[in-house]
């Protein structure tokens, strides 16, 4: 093998990148060599590479395999069949998914979980075991959702996992999938008592999950999941008695995350929820707590407290943040500007774009509530100081994503020339000349 490597270097086919690491000089060279192998030879090659990488990982001072490399090679080797190979592919893909989650690479994690579920099915795993991997894939997909396609794929995975769990009588699987659909979104701190439109998929999932709970004798290990399910169903349906039951169950189980979730549903002790979320390092829980606490402060006329809470929430707007957290954080920035009497249409547009990737109907309702805000400092009609029309605001949301005019036209069912007319009007009203100037102006926080 070493002689072959030396010959390859001499011939200019491969080069040494580092100790014991070689790469093809051109991708085409790799493909030509690879294509000379038959399907079985390719699979055997991947199996041998996976074995070597695993052994290297056990040695000190040499290159260890990454989990992504092992997942790739074991997946390709699985074409040879056999339970052992398929099980290895499942384990490698699940490990790679877990590593991706730690890096907040949600889409990558979802792909690996889905791959693991596929191999588990081929290996003859029980449906509920494959279902857990499917539920993990859907949850990751929704956490990283950047558009309708990812959101729909994630929800489809989770509803499929729920069906598998119901058929198998597996409460744990049903609970995990139902919780993976996420909490019911709010309409923001400035929305008053307005509620988001109902989500029948989430509501049915929570009802199905709660229906699988035993009437009596709930095992202690199920207290946490049961309390979280009941809390979300209580919040979804507005049933305070169910929220109180969930809180009692959560306190009995002693899980701080379940207690915090129940307190959100009950609607009290939000400062405790913030403390628990910080201690747990749970940004989604923290974002929800800040959002509800800010709304409560606005209702009580505590403008200073509301502004402080919105500032903390807006600080969570990180590119690595989960989709729901990013939406809430961007929305908080827009709400903070409105609360201070200086509405920022750019911030509102960014929040709307982020929200549409999570829950389009709720995002639209939240945006409408923000534009209607006429609090103590925000006078009527100031929520859109640039004077954009409703259709221009829709076009602006798509334009900020960098979407070409032709695709905007298709999405909004308009003619391409009509979209270009709207864009020209937006540029004129905002004082810019090009799409790049538009994104720069709205992206750097310039006031409108």
């Amino acid at each position: 093998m070493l002689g072959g490597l030396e010959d390859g270097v001499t011939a200019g086919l491969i080069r040494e990148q580092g100790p014991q690491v070689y790469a093809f000089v051109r991708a085409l060279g790799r493909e030509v060599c690879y294509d000379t192998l038959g399907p079985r030879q390719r699979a055997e090659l991947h199996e041998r590479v996976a074995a070597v990488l695993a052994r290297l990982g056990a040695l000190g001072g040499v290159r260890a395999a990454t989990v992504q490399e092992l997942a790739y090679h074991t997946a390709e080797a699985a074409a040879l069949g056999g339970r052992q190979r398929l099980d290895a592919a499942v384990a490698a893909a699940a490990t790679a998914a877990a590593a991706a989650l730690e890096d907040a690479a949600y889409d990558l994690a979802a792909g690996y979980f889905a791959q693991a579920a596929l191999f588990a099915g081929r290996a003859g795993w029980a449906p509920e075991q494959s279902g857990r991997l499917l539920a993990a894939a859907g949850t990751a997909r929704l956490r990283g959702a950047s558009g309708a396609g990812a959101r729909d794929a994630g929800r489809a995975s989770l509803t499929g996992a729920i069906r598998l769990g119901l058929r198998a009588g597996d409460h744990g699987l049903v609970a995990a999938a139902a919780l993976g659909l996420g909490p019911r979104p709010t309409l923001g701190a400035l929305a008053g008592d307005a509620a988001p439109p109902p989500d029948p998929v989430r509501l049915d999932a929570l009802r199905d999950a709660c229906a699988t709970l035993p009437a009596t004798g709930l095992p202690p290990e199920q207290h946490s999941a049961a309390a979280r399910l009941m809390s979300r169903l209580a919040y979804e349906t507005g049933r305070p008695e169910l929220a109180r039951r969930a809180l009692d169950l959560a306190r009995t189980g002693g899980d701080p995350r379940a207690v915090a979730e129940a307190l959100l549903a009950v609607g009290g002790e939000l400062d405790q929820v913030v403390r628990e979320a910080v201690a747990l390092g749970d940004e989604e829980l923290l974002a929800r707590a800040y959002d509800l606490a800010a709304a409560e402060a606005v209702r009580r006329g505590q403008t200073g407290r509301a502004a402080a809470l919105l500032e903390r929430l807006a600080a969570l707007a990180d590119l690595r943040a989960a989709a729901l957290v990013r939406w809430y954080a961007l929305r908080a920035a827009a709400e903070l500007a409105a609360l201070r009497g200086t509405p920022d249409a750019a911030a509102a547009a960014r929040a709307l774009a982020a929200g549409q990737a999570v829950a389009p109907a709720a995002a639209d309702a939240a945006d409408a509530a923000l534009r209607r805000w006429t609090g103590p400092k925000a006078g009527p009609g100031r929520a859109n100081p640039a004077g954009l029309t409703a259709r221009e605001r829709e076009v602006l949301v798509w334009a900020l994503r960098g979407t070409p005019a032709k695709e905007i036209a298709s999405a909004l069912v308009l003619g391409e020339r009509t979209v270009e007319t709207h864009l020209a009007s937006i540029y004129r009203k905002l004082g810019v000349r090009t799409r790049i100037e538009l994104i720069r102006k709205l992206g750097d926080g310039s006031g409108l």
Side-chain angles (χ1 to χ4, degrees), residues 120-144:
R122 287 174 53 189
W125 287 27
E128 57 270 28
Q129 292 175 313
S130 300
R132 278 177 163 72
L133 295 168
L134 194 62
T139 301
R141 191 74 71 192
L142 288 186
R143 284 181 63 80

Side-chain angles (χ1 to χ4, degrees), residues 145-433:
S146 57
R151 182 183 66 249
D152 292 345
R155 287 165 72 91
S157 293
L158 289 167
T159 53
I162 289 173
R163 287 194 296 271
L164 288 173
L166 290 173
R167 283 201 296 267
D170 188 330
H171 164 70
L173 172 55
V174 177
L179 291 172
L181 286 165
R184 186 188 194 193
T186 65
L187 300 187
L190 307 184
D193 296 326
D199 181 348
V201 173
R202 183 187 300 109
L203 183 57
D204 288 346
L206 290 170
R207 283 174 172 161
D208 288 340
C210 288
T212 65
L213 297 172
T216 58
L218 184 69
E221 64 272 14
Q222 293 184 10
H223 282 188
S224 176
R228 294 179 69 200
L229 288 169
M230 292 165 60
S231 298
R232 292 194 182 182
L233 182 59
Y235 192 70
E236 197 87 23
T237 57
R239 294 170 56 189
E241 77 288 352
L242 183 59
R244 289 191 291 272
R245 281 176 52 201
L247 181 57
D248 290 342
L249 183 60
R251 285 172 170 162
T252 300
D255 179 8
R257 182 173 277 101
V259 171
E261 187 100 40
L263 286 173
L264 288 180
V266 170
E269 303 181 54
L270 293 175
D271 287 341
Q272 180 183 340
V273 179
V274 170
R275 290 193 296 272
E276 295 289 5
V278 170
L280 292 166
D282 188 330
E283 285 197 343
E284 182 180 286
L285 188 61
L286 185 61
R288 295 168 62 200
Y290 280 151
D291 175 73
L292 291 175
E296 182 180 63
V298 170
R299 285 194 295 270
R300 293 181 177 181
Q302 300 170 340
T303 306
R305 172 174 166 77
L309 289 164
L310 289 173
E311 281 182 344
R312 295 178 197 169
L313 178 50
L316 299 178
D318 187 277
L319 290 176
R320 289 165 53 90
L324 179 69
V325 175
R326 182 169 171 77
W327 174 29
Y328 274 33
L330 291 174
R331 190 175 70 188
E335 291 171 335
L336 185 60
L339 190 66
R340 289 172 171 169
T342 56
D344 186 341
R350 287 193 291 269
L352 177 58
Q356 286 179 333
V358 180
D364 290 343
D367 181 66
L370 175 63
R371 288 188 283 112
R372 286 196 303 267
W373 168 253
T374 55
K377 291 185 180 181
R382 295 188 61 202
N384 185 16
L388 300 180
T389 66
R391 181 61 85 180
E392 286 170 350
R393 286 176 58 82
E394 289 180 327
V395 172
L396 174 61
V397 168
W398 287 91
L400 288 175
R401 300 173 183 168
T403 310
K406 185 175 182 179
E407 293 182 20
I408 297 176
S410 177
L412 298 180
V413 196
L414 296 172
E416 186 174 352
R417 190 166 293 180
T418 301
V419 170
E420 291 172 348
T421 300
H422 285 312
L423 284 171
S425 177
I426 291 170
Y427 295 165
R428 177 178 54 78
K429 292 178 179 179
L430 299 184
V432 300
R433 292 174 296 176

